[in-house]
Amino acid sequence: MQVKDLGLATPYFEQQLVEDHRKDGYWIEALDIDKDGKPDLIGYGLGEGEVGWYENPGWERTPIAKLEGPVGMHYADVNGNGLLDVIICYQYGKTMIDCDPDGGKIIWMENPGNKTEEWKHHYIGRATAMHRLKVGHFTQNERLEVLALPIVGKPQAVHSDVPVLLFTQPEDVYSAEQWEGTIIDDSYFHVIHGVTVKNFESKSGMKLDSVLLATQEGITWLYYDSDERKWQKVPIGAGELGEESKTGFKGSGDVDTGKIGSDSFAYIAAVEPFHGNTIAVYCKQTDNELTKITWKRVVLDVYGDPNQLGEGPAHFVVCADFDGDGDDEFLVALRGPVPWQGVVYYKAIDVKNGVFVKWHVSSASAARIAVADYDGDGRLDFATIGYSVNGYYTADDSQISVYYNRFAEALRGNVK
């Protein structure tokens, strides 16, 4: 069956180049920094370590920090002044193999809300090889918590046990030397690469944040059971297992959940394994409580063969409703090389059986994707940054671009 026979509009996104010929590229995030109602961008790489604020709509760049090897970040209003602060980890080391045993520092950078004042740094804690972090309310709703996820446990040991930590916001965020930290788990997970946050309501009605993790173990739902007062791990799927003999990696590399109608966990999209070449979806085989669902894994695409490092081109996946029909599509970031480069858009046709159609909607190297309505027209757009990290993969031209959604309006009959 051809796509045109399904009555689907062809997705089209208009590219605006924000910055090209970057010396590095890794992270991009959308957030409203100056509280003007427009989502801005934060972008940076590990090599130069220059964290930049790109202000919407002109995308003028303002440096806000220079850090040694910054990796993952998230954001929240830490000091309660109404401005979103940046929580970021840095001092990663050269690679996951040569990670800095004294690094992995986590700080929150205080947002001054303007271009002239300095972003002050406040220490939270550390863990060797800190790679991903998420801010939320994971065990309670009174104080912010930072879920800290290193990629490996120690240097020269890629498959070592990885500690998962939780840091809790102190009463006084200015006087505290660091945030109180606890270890959630230190023996189950290995090679933690991807994480997405979802809100979960317990049997008692308490709503807390939880996460899906993409690791060597595959996809795991990690949540705090407020009724039992303990952390729970629910395996979703084992991920990609057939490439380990060639690449040294198995499991999953990145993950997100897609909404169909009223079901916010209708399917799970994944990049597999670590820095993998396989795109898979997990489809429900039972309709039950979230903790009791069984999932069927369906491979949608395999992009090229692993390179000499055992890595493929896929790096990130994100679900969102781009065409405005109430159902989530998902985007996959391909870092390269050509032809496996850019962003691929997937739409569910028969989600129960894992049937999706796809379009290649951009061609520049993409390490990550930041989804937001950048031009305020009510349609979701996306932005990317090219992947350029020494020791892994370096794009020919690492650039930051915004891609404006120019097709969803046609589905609502508003285009003349």
Side-chain angles (χ1 to χ4, degrees):
M1 180 181 291
Q2 299 295 317
V3 171
K4 63 181 180 180
D5 297 329
L6 300 172
L8 302 176
T10 300
Y12 170 65
F13 296 86
E14 180 185 349
Q15 180 184 9
Q16 180 182 4
L17 180 64
V18 173
E19 184 179 51
D20 60 358
H21 303 299
R22 291 179 50 87
K23 295 179 181 179
D24 63 5
Y26 186 74
W27 198 273
I28 192 166
E29 193 88 23
L31 65 156
D32 184 1
I33 292 176
D34 51 2
K35 208 175 179 182
D36 65 353
K38 301 182 184 70
D40 306 304
L41 289 171
I42 283 183
Y44 56 87
L46 278 71
E48 298 295 311
E50 295 180 352
V51 182
W53 162 22
Y54 300 82
E55 185 181 7
N56 190 355
W59 306 114
E60 180 182 358
R61 181 182 181 275
T62 299
I64 62 173
K66 186 172 176 61
L67 301 171
E68 179 185 349
V71 189
M73 65 152 282
H74 203 191
Y75 56 86
D77 181 5
V78 176
N79 57 7
N81 68 349
L83 295 171
L84 292 174
D85 306 300
V86 170
I87 299 90
I88 192 169
C89 57
Y90 70 101
Q91 201 175 327
Y92 181 65
K94 293 181 180 179
T95 67
M96 62 194 288
I97 298 174
D98 300 316
C99 54
D100 188 337
D102 299 317
K105 296 171 184 175
I106 308 169
I107 58 173
W108 68 277
M109 301 196 305
E110 187 177 352
N111 180 3
N114 58 65
K115 294 182 177 181
T116 57
E117 295 182 63
E118 174 188 10
W119 288 61
K120 297 179 181 178
H121 298 182
H122 307 274
Y123 187 69
I124 290 177
R126 65 163 298 275
T128 299
M130 262 302 304
H131 184 259
R132 297 287 184 262
L133 56 84
K134 289 293 182 182
V135 186
H137 295 282
F138 299 100
T139 68
Q140 44 73 43
N141 289 305
E142 286 74 38
R143 298 184 188 180
L144 289 174
E145 294 169 316
V146 176
L147 184 69
L149 304 161
I151 190 169
V152 297
K154 57 185 178 181
Q156 308 301 324
V158 169
H159 301 287
S160 54
D161 296 343
V162 180
V164 177
L165 303 95
L166 191 74
F167 294 94
T168 303
Q169 180 185 30
E171 288 188 17
D172 188 339
V173 295
Y174 289 111
S175 64
E177 293 185 2
Q178 63 182 42
W179 293 16
E180 180 182 356
T182 58
I183 296 176
I184 294 172
D185 189 282
D186 62 0
S187 61
Y188 182 86
F189 294 108
H190 306 82
V191 192
I192 301 177
H193 187 264
V195 56
T196 186
V197 175
K198 300 297 173 183
N199 198 258
F200 172 68
E201 185 174 346
S202 68
K203 294 178 181 178
S204 62
M206 186 175 185
K207 290 186 177 182
L208 293 171
D209 293 314
S210 63
V211 293
L212 284 178
L213 298 180
T215 74
Q216 181 174 289
E217 289 66 40
I219 296 171
T220 306
W221 178 33
L222 177 67
Y223 72 97
Y224 182 78
D225 189 329
S226 58
D227 302 322
E228 298 290 333
R229 296 187 178 181
K230 64 179 181 180
W231 287 89
Q232 305 281 10
K233 297 183 289 288
V234 178
I236 302 294
E240 174 56 49
L241 303 178
E243 294 184 358
E244 186 180 12
S245 61
K246 295 185 295 183
T247 68
F249 297 107
K250 63 179 181 178
S252 302
D254 204 59
V255 61
D256 202 6
T257 61
K259 176 180 178 291
I260 300 291
S262 60
D263 186 355
S264 59
F265 279 82
Y267 68 90
I268 296 171
V271 169
E272 296 178 334
F274 164 79
H275 283 190
N277 63 349
T278 302
I279 309 304
V281 291
Y282 291 77
C283 312
K284 289 181 180 178
Q285 298 301 289
T286 57
D287 191 7
N288 209 327
E289 293 181 29
L290 194 56
T291 56
K292 299 177 182 179
I293 292 171
T294 57
W295 301 83
K296 176 185 177 183
R297 179 177 181 263
V298 178
V299 173
L300 298 183
D301 284 297
V302 177
Y303 291 113
D305 295 319
N307 62 19
Q308 65 273 18
L309 298 176
E311 300 180 5
H315 192 253
F316 181 76
V317 61
V318 60
C319 299
D321 181 9
F322 293 95
D323 62 14
D325 67 350
D327 296 338
D328 280 355
E329 297 75 47
F330 72 90
L331 304 180
V332 173
L334 301 178
R335 57 186 191 172
V338 173
W340 316 125
Q341 183 169 287
V343 173
V344 183
Y345 174 109
Y346 287 85
K347 182 168 182 64
I349 300 302
D350 178 357
V351 70
K352 184 177 180 180
N353 292 301
V355 179
F356 286 70
V357 292
K358 69 174 181 179
W359 293 265
H360 213 132
V361 294
S362 75
S363 58
S365 172
R368 293 182 65 86
I369 302 167
V371 176
D373 180 5
Y374 293 107
D375 56 2
D377 67 354
R379 298 175 290 186
L380 287 178
D381 315 302
F382 69 91
T384 63
I385 188 170
Y387 192 107
S388 183
V389 181
N390 290 331
Y392 293 96
Y393 176 78
T394 56
D396 291 337
D397 179 13
S398 175
Q399 59 183 236
I400 293 176
S401 287
V402 176
Y403 295 86
Y404 298 102
N405 185 336
R406 299 301 188 226
F407 79 103
E409 196 170 47
L411 298 182
R412 299 196 293 268
N414 294 324
V415 172
K416 295 181 179 179

